[in-house]
Amino acid sequence: MASHLTVRPTTDPTTRVAGERAISLVFFGSGAASLIFEVVWLHRCGIVFGNSVWATSVVLSSFMAGLGLGNAFIAYGGHRIRRFVRTYAALEAVVAISGVATTLLLPALAGVFVPLARQFVEVPWLVNLTRLTMAFAALMVPTTAMGATLPVLVGAVSRSQHAFAHALGRLYGWNTLGAVVGVVGTEVVLIARFGVTGSACIAGLLDLGVAAYALRLSRRADDTSNLDQSPGIEQPSRPFAVWRLSMSTALAGAAFMALEVVWFRFLMMFVIPTTLVVSLMLAVVLASIAIGGLAASSWAKRRGDALAYLPVVAVVASSMVVASYTTFRFLTQGAQLTEWYWTIWLTSALTLPTALLSGVLFTLLGAAFKREIAAPARAVGWLALSNTAGAMCGPLVAAFVLLPFLGVERSLWVLATLYAVVGVLTLRDALSGARTVKALVFAAAALVAATLLVRFPFGLMQTSYIARAASAYLGDGSKMIATSEGPSETIFLTEKSWMGKPMYHRLVTNGFSMTGTSLKAKRYMRYFVYWPMLLHEAPLRRVLLICYGVGITADAIKGLKSVESVDVVEVSRDVVAMSDHIYSASAHPLHDPRMRLHLEDGRYYLQTTSTRFDLITGEPPPSGTPGTVNLYTREYFQLIHDRLAEGGIATYWLPIARETGYNTSAVIRAFCDAFDDCSLWNGTPSDLMLVGTRHIKGPVTEATFSAAWNDPVVWPNMREVGFEVPQQVGATFIGDAAYLRAITAGAAPLTDDYPRRLLWSPKVPSLSDPRFVDYYHEVVDADRARVRFEASDFIGRLWPETLASQSVPFFKEQQIINRVLLEGANPLRYIEDLHFLLVETSLRRPPLWALGSDDVQQQIADTGNDGTGLVEYVLGVRALVARNYLAAAGFFAEAERSGLQHVTARPLLTYALCLAGRLDDASRAAKGAAIGGADERHFWSWLHSTFGVGPDVRP
């Protein structure tokens, strides 16, 4: 090999720098391609094997095992390589070709895996063993080639101990910087524009380009000099030292990979978890490692004694784990952050010092191996093999041992201690022959690390971090009643209570409010069951619920006497366990003998079950949550369609969180591609419901449709969430298939190959994009929906004709419900709406909600009195809604006499007297009213113009 590819002291400086740059560029490109492939393969494996924490961990371990196999080949056979650069070029070509082939073949692997998994679907360890075997087999060729590249390339450019550490750190650093570009580029650009397959092809072309350039360098070397010859195999003079180094390297690799899992879990409490956020967090960690590798390279180049500081670096890394966790509380304010730059800042503050030192540590450990193993390629092979073996175990230990049993805080202490152990293990070899001053430096660093470990701030997680993360959900007076740190998420459950009775609960997962038992949550989650109950041709018998949450939908299913079996699929055992704090044993949905819980990924379950269902309903986490997009693609919806029995119905949650900017149009288009008769319904304005059927016929009879209102179990639950009469169901209509295809005509569907269409802006604006507020309101506006309802062929085919015509007037009430659920109760600002509901309708729930109350609060009000006047106020609201106006006025007056200072108490007292015809009393009551803000002025202005009562405050 030419001298410009070999770092030797005698090489011309200009030529040497040019060679270093060329090789660094080659490995930078290799790192970018490798991370593109890794992202692509993990995505494809998630589709085949599922996205449960077990499935993801097994696939990641398979990936790491392949890398380890490549390391092992070089560790034991690197002495046989004669042309390193050509070998490296061949390896990159293998990665390119087999990487693209693996991407193309992985979807077909489902045809092999699914039949096998069906044989023992209820035996998790056999399923996971099958996953591991098949994933390893699928990824073995490209990952083995990847694992061999670093040892081979270091062997190409390093011949001496001095040059070795410099070359290793430089190549390791540039390769990792390439990985940073690969992970961010894949997330932000490649998959969005070119899809999963296209991204793999780009990675393949990049690897082929790297291989071609490396081959060119090798041929240029042939023209000017003999290729470097590897020395014959040399046995280490101290085998025990090699194994001790291997153990140290494995522990360091395991500690860092486990730390990555723990860090990311911790950070998720302070940033909104999305695929972009996870990619940025990973990019920060990789960039920090790269900087550490490059710094170690420069250090080794300038100082020949850098290896002596190996144990010092390890114990300082231990100190940094503790210090970064301790000081992180000064950087957080409590609320979850959404801006990308805050993600980078918080991740850097927590991870950068330790990650940077880990990059240095890797390089110095390599130098220690080189001192024991003369052949550079074999030395790096041993280094990488040991590191990969540890890295393969680290995430598994973190997810299934440390986090569930110790939690984030104690896990950090254990992993910090592990770094200190690495320092002790490497002390003898690193300081052999070193000066006393280096031993003193280690002693000082070790003393600091020991002090920090002994004085570790145990309890900070509960007193500071969880409290801050939960603060955004405690502002309404709620309190935290349970916490859990499991394999896949950190969970806490909050409870809002009054007079010692729970009003509602909220389940917060990784700092994000996922679900709860509030009125809004109950309305749309129960609706997923009640809509198909009303429209299915026969009573529902077999039901599949994908994602359990807090059990609201499961509880609604439990109330249907016709149901014979319910399969509940939930990916997290810890999420399910939280419902034990919400329900009594007798009321717990999962204690119903018809319920069967499957702790698995929903898509995997659909692939492996052969059951046909009358109803499949799903409410997974929002589509932008990591690992969830596979539950919103066209292929997934087609799976749901295919698992429906003839005439079956699917209902699916469509969250409209406008601040996220997710492309809801892509999800609607994907659903409508799978279901010809797709339709969209209003659970709440922020929680829409997609409905699709498998050849449903109609219409049902009016008697069948209305039968639920005579059911002693179902009717009270329907009434609580606002379906007091059958006509209200039709008023939740938004649009049928023709309308949905029209509004998404310019949007491409969300598919397995294009999962980033969820974030990629199409020509048609997203329903959830804040820049298109008018578009959003055009979709959910009840007046426009009424016009579509009257003209819909879908409604004409399914709805009883008389009931359809009777539903039309209820769109006006629906408009008011939309506003209350979207903005909250404000009876003073919207007194016209309240007056219409009370005077023009007989409904009770809409005016109850407009007044800021609900059934749960009303039930609690009957259990006692808190002495503040609030019970009397709540009873006044009840009387007003019951149109018992004099009684309402009496309760409001008593509430004021009890000391209640509520801005609506006096206005509602006066209004109730007006409705009762007691205008003189109303006038006297109005005289004592304080007129403050714009809402109060609007109310008194309206009251004066309507009843002639109260001050005239019109402008």
Side-chain angles (χ1 to χ4, degrees):
M1 187 168 61
S3 60
H4 68 274
L5 292 181
T6 305
V7 181
R8 294 172 178 164
T10 58
T11 303
D12 177 72
T14 303
T15 304
R16 186 182 69 246
V17 169
E20 290 179 357
R21 289 176 178 174
I23 291 296
S24 298
L25 178 63
V26 163
F27 218 35
F28 178 89
S30 174
S34 296
L35 256 292
I36 296 171
F37 273 131
E38 183 177 350
V39 172
V40 164
W41 294 336
L42 288 175
H43 180 80
R44 282 285 164 89
C45 287
I47 293 171
V48 177
F49 302 114
N51 275 302
S52 68
V53 63
W54 269 110
T56 302
S57 299
V58 163
V59 170
L60 183 59
S61 295
S62 301
F63 180 88
M64 301 299 293
L67 296 180
L69 187 59
N71 304 149
F73 283 151
I74 305 303
Y76 287 99
H79 63 284
R80 296 187 179 94
I81 299 174
R82 291 295 178 266
R83 298 173 180 253
F84 284 102
V85 179
R86 289 191 179 186
T87 301
Y88 172 77
L91 288 170
E92 291 292 359
V94 170
V95 173
I97 296 169
S98 62
V100 174
T102 297
T103 305
L104 296 174
L105 292 175
L106 271 172
L109 200 60
V112 179
F113 172 69
V114 169
L116 285 174
R118 281 178 179 167
Q119 304 302 315
F120 34 80
V121 68
E122 299 298 336
V123 187
W125 72 268
L126 275 176
V127 173
N128 287 322
L129 180 60
T130 305
R131 282 175 172 141
L132 180 64
T133 302
M134 297 190 72
F136 177 73
L139 301 175
M140 182 177 65
V141 174
T143 54
T144 299
M146 282 182 183
T149 55
L150 177 63
V152 167
L153 203 55
V154 173
V157 299
S158 170
R159 303 300 297 152
S160 67
Q161 174 74 18
H162 174 76
F164 177 87
H166 171 58
L168 173 63
R170 188 183 77 247
L171 291 176
Y172 179 62
W174 279 105
N175 184 256
T176 309
L177 284 178
V180 174
V181 173
V183 70
V184 176
T186 305
E187 168 63 29
V188 176
V189 178
L190 294 184
I191 291 182
R193 287 190 176 274
F194 305 106
V196 173
T197 303
S199 298
C201 291
I202 290 172
L205 290 173
L206 185 55
D207 264 331
L208 287 176
V210 165
Y213 188 56
L215 192 59
R216 179 187 175 191
L217 291 176
S218 176
R219 288 174 177 171
R220 186 185 302 170
D222 283 342
D223 293 336
T224 58
S225 69
N226 294 325
L227 289 173
D228 281 332
Q229 299 293 313
S230 276
I233 184 169
E234 298 180 23
Q235 296 297 331
S237 57
R238 299 189 303 166
F240 183 73
V242 173
W243 285 107
R244 187 167 57 243
L245 284 172
S246 295
M247 180 183 296
S248 302
T249 305
L251 288 177
F256 187 77
M257 288 298 290
L259 266 177
E260 193 173 313
V261 173
V262 176
W263 279 335
F264 285 13
R265 172 70 61 76
F266 178 72
L267 287 166
M268 287 300 182
M269 295 194 299
F270 303 100
V271 295
I272 298 293
T274 65
T275 54
L276 175 61
V277 162
V278 173
S279 296
L280 290 176
M281 289 162 58
L282 179 59
V284 169
V285 172
L286 291 174
S288 302
I289 296 172
I291 294 170
L294 293 172
S297 172
S298 178
W299 185 18
K301 183 179 181 180
R302 292 195 310 269
R303 298 197 52 167
D305 62 347
L307 175 58
Y309 292 95
L310 167 59
V312 176
V313 172
V315 295
V316 172
S318 171
S319 299
M320 288 299 100
V321 173
V322 181
S324 61
Y325 174 71
T326 305
T327 59
F328 188 82
R329 66 184 184 273
F330 302 115
L331 306 173
T332 60
Q333 299 299 319
Q336 280 194 307
L337 303 169
T338 58
E339 296 84 358
W340 62 268
Y341 48 84
W342 277 113
T343 297
I344 292 176
W345 163 244
L346 292 179
T347 307
S348 299
L350 182 67
T351 70
L352 190 150
T354 307
L356 189 151
L357 289 169
S358 294
V360 175
L361 186 63
F362 181 86
T363 305
L364 295 183
L365 283 166
F369 271 106
K370 179 63 173 65
R371 192 163 66 180
E372 305 297 333
I373 302 173
R378 294 190 65 231
V380 181
W382 272 97
L383 168 72
L385 174 61
S386 304
N387 184 260
T388 303
M392 183 171 63
C393 300
L396 293 172
V397 172
F400 298 109
V401 179
L402 295 180
L403 286 171
F405 293 100
L406 299 180
V408 167
E409 191 168 74
R410 292 177 180 176
S411 296
L412 288 172
W413 185 87
V414 168
L415 296 173
T417 302
L418 204 57
Y419 269 110
V421 170
V422 171
V424 173
L425 286 175
T426 57
L427 182 62
R428 177 180 175 183
D429 298 310
L431 291 181
S432 177
R435 297 177 183 177
T436 305
V437 65
K438 296 181 177 63
L440 292 176
V441 171
F442 171 78
L447 179 62
V448 171
T451 302
L452 288 173
L453 288 171
V454 170
R455 300 180 60 84
F456 190 90
F458 292 110
L460 199 60
M461 188 72 173
Q462 288 292 333
T463 60
S464 180
Y465 294 128
I466 287 183
R468 291 186 180 193
S471 62
Y473 307 109
L474 304 179
D476 60 354
S478 295
K479 62 180 181 180
M480 198 160 15
I481 63 170
T483 61
S484 171
E485 295 181 74
S488 57
E489 67 277 297
T490 298
I491 305 172
F492 47 86
L493 184 70
T494 68
E495 179 183 276
K496 168 69 172 176
S497 61
W498 179 39
M499 294 197 297
K501 304 293 192 301
M503 296 180 68
Y504 58 82
H505 296 88
R506 186 193 302 271
L507 184 72
V508 181
T509 303
N510 289 333
F512 186 78
S513 178
M514 285 292 182
T515 185
T517 62
S518 65
L519 170 66
K520 288 178 63 176
K522 288 179 180 177
R523 178 175 170 89
Y524 79 83
M525 291 181 192
R526 288 178 183 172
Y527 199 29
F528 291 160
V529 177
Y530 294 151
W531 194 101
M533 172 194 70
L534 299 173
L535 274 298
H536 196 261
E537 300 164 28
L540 300 172
R541 300 191 183 282
R542 296 180 303 277
V543 179
L544 171 62
L545 170 61
I546 298 173
C547 298
Y548 175 77
V550 291
I552 298 298
T553 305
D555 188 60
I557 298 170
K558 187 184 76 170
L560 305 186
K561 296 177 182 177
S562 65
V563 172
E564 298 173 354
S565 66
V566 185
D567 289 282
V568 180
V569 181
E570 171 57 57
V571 76
S572 170
R573 185 184 301 274
D574 298 286
V575 166
V576 174
M578 280 294 162
S579 62
D580 294 342
H581 299 278
I582 300 175
Y583 303 99
S584 65
S586 60
H588 202 301
L590 293 180
H591 292 177
D592 188 297
R594 297 170 296 173
M595 300 272 178
R596 292 178 296 183
L597 177 64
H598 308 273
L599 292 169
E600 256 302 347
D601 172 75
R603 182 161 180 160
Y604 164 81
Y605 181 81
L606 282 169
Q607 289 175 322
T608 54
T609 185
S610 57
T611 305
R612 300 279 181 151
F613 300 94
D614 298 321
L615 167 63
I616 299 178
T617 184
E619 43 192 294
S623 46
T625 306
T628 307
V629 69
N630 292 342
L631 301 183
Y632 287 90
T633 64
R634 179 173 60 192
E635 292 83 354
Y636 171 70
F637 290 138
Q638 188 63 50
L639 264 176
I640 291 179
H641 175 276
D642 295 343
R643 293 298 178 270
L644 286 174
E646 197 67 16
I649 299 174
T651 56
Y652 215 75
W653 183 43
L654 183 69
I656 306 294
R658 286 178 289 169
E659 68 275 8
T660 61
Y662 293 144
N663 181 11
T664 313
S665 297
V667 178
I668 296 175
R669 177 68 185 276
F671 190 87
C672 289
D673 280 357
F675 291 95
D676 292 336
D677 63 349
C678 60
S679 57
L680 189 63
W681 299 79
N682 190 334
T684 79
S686 300
D687 306 281
L688 307 184
M689 180 178 70
L690 287 163
V691 175
T693 78
R694 181 166 179 153
H695 310 140
I696 192 172
K697 300 175 182 177
V700 296
T701 66
E702 186 173 349
T704 300
F705 191 100
S706 303
W709 279 264
N710 297 315
D711 188 305
V713 176
V714 175
W715 153 233
N717 288 334
M718 295 183 69
R719 178 183 59 195
E720 182 187 2
V721 295
F723 297 109
E724 298 179 58
V725 295
Q727 292 82 357
Q728 286 181 283
V729 175
T732 63
F733 176 82
I734 291 177
D736 57 16
Y739 173 71
L740 295 182
R741 290 191 172 99
I743 65 172
T744 61
L750 190 66
T751 66
D752 288 346
D753 202 44
Y754 283 89
R756 297 299 185 267
R757 283 175 178 163
L758 186 67
L759 304 172
W760 195 254
S761 299
K763 295 179 181 178
V764 170
S766 164
L767 303 188
S768 59
D769 195 320
R771 296 171 297 175
F772 298 95
V773 175
D774 290 340
Y775 181 77
Y776 169 77
H777 284 295
E778 191 277 333
V779 172
V780 299
D781 181 79
D783 289 334
R784 293 184 172 97
R786 173 181 52 78
V787 175
R788 297 192 291 268
F789 179 86
E790 293 180 284
S792 171
D793 291 336
F794 177 80
I795 297 299
R797 179 165 59 89
L798 292 184
W799 237 252
E801 184 177 354
T802 302
L803 196 60
S805 61
Q806 292 174 350
S807 297
V808 171
F810 284 83
F811 278 88
K812 185 170 183 179
E813 287 92 336
Q814 182 63 40
Q815 189 81 305
I816 298 173
I817 291 173
N818 286 348
R819 195 265 308 158
V820 172
L821 294 178
L822 195 61
E823 301 180 23
N826 193 331
L828 301 187
R829 179 185 301 176
Y830 298 108
I831 182 60
E832 296 92 341
D833 288 348
L834 176 62
H835 189 65
F836 166 78
L837 292 171
L838 291 174
V839 175
E840 301 295 332
T841 79
S842 61
L843 300 174
R844 294 199 176 189
R845 267 58 199 179
L848 186 67
W849 301 346
L851 287 162
S853 187
D854 58 26
D855 282 34
V856 174
Q857 187 185 49
Q858 291 295 326
Q859 292 164 9
I860 296 174
D862 290 330
T863 64
N865 198 313
D866 61 358
T868 66
L870 183 56
V871 169
E872 290 81 359
Y873 179 85
V874 171
L875 295 176
V877 167
R878 182 193 302 179
L880 188 62
V881 168
R883 281 70 170 178
N884 190 346
Y885 302 126
L886 275 179
F891 279 121
F892 289 135
E894 182 60 29
E896 286 196 320
R897 286 193 293 272
S898 298
L900 182 69
Q901 300 293 322
H902 201 294
V903 68
T904 60
R906 181 56 63 90
L908 291 180
L909 165 61
T910 309
Y911 175 55
L913 290 170
C914 290
L915 291 175
R918 306 287 286 270
L919 299 184
D920 290 341
D921 292 339
S923 295
R924 284 190 289 273
K927 289 181 180 179
I931 302 174
D935 293 342
E936 294 166 81
R937 295 178 64 86
H938 172 76
F939 171 84
W940 290 112
S941 174
W942 176 86
L943 196 71
H944 183 84
S945 62
T946 304
F947 295 102
V949 170
D952 184 2
V953 292
R954 290 175 294 179

